[in-house]
Amino acid sequence: CKDHDGSFQSPPGLDSTVSAAVKKISVSSTVLQCVMGELLWEQKMGRRTFALETDREGQPVVHSHQSSLTVEETHSLGQEKLWELLAREIISSKIGDKKVKYLAFLSSTRYNNSKRIKPFSHSHTLAMTKGHIALGG
């Protein structure tokens, strides 16, 4: 967000910087690629998976995009509208390509359960979360 440093919510004492997020996303995307390949193999669809953009060392490239939205705006929008606006921003940015699928994370998402209530459903958890997007809206 234009008024946010890109850090993400994490337990106190843990690194929540943009560089920490990049490392986590890089590793996670590689794991997701591997799992997808194994699931397709189990379904008798052959040895295939999706391609990731990689650098010269073969490591996944993670781009950071700073939205024109404010944190307040991301927290006030519904997930479908938020996804629509962010998707348009990404597609029209310097990394935008309509032939590419994007795996995007919003660092301004915040989960607030100050009463430490055990959520009883997915919708209950989402009700305590601001600025979230799941599965493209």
Side-chain angles (χ1 to χ4, degrees):
C1 297
K2 66 182 178 184
D3 62 345
H4 190 263
D5 65 2
S7 61
F8 59 94
Q9 186 176 23
S10 69
L14 294 181
D15 188 359
S16 63
T17 61
V18 172
S19 61
V22 166
K23 289 175 189 172
K24 290 173 185 285
I25 293 167
S26 178
V27 170
S28 299
S29 63
T30 304
V31 170
L32 184 60
Q33 183 186 47
C34 180
V35 168
M36 179 61 72
E38 292 304 313
L39 290 171
L40 290 172
W41 174 254
E42 284 180 4
Q43 295 299 314
K44 313 266 189 265
M45 298 178 77
R47 284 281 179 204
R48 9 185 305 178
T49 192
F50 57 88
L52 294 168
E53 180 183 357
T54 56
D55 62 19
R56 292 180 184 183
E57 288 81 42
Q59 296 302 309
V61 173
V62 177
H63 298 279
S64 181
H65 170 75
Q66 187 168 21
S67 174
S68 64
L69 299 172
T70 65
V71 171
E72 178 69 30
E73 289 169 327
T74 66
H75 289 184
S76 66
L77 291 169
Q79 64 177 326
E80 290 179 22
K81 185 64 175 177
L82 181 55
W83 173 246
E84 178 186 326
L85 293 171
L86 291 173
R88 286 183 188 190
E89 278 190 10
I90 292 168
I91 291 298
S92 64
S93 74
K94 66 180 181 179
I95 64 167
D97 184 342
K98 291 185 180 187
K99 297 177 187 172
V100 172
K101 301 294 181 196
Y102 294 91
L103 176 63
F105 298 88
L106 187 60
S107 65
S108 63
T109 299
R110 291 295 178 264
Y111 174 70
N112 183 8
N113 185 358
S114 56
K115 296 180 182 176
R116 313 220 20 100
I117 301 167
K118 183 177 181 181
F120 52 83
S121 68
H122 178 67
S123 59
H124 190 219
T125 301
L126 291 181
M128 294 185 277
T129 309
K130 295 180 179 181
H132 63 88
I133 302 172
L135 303 174

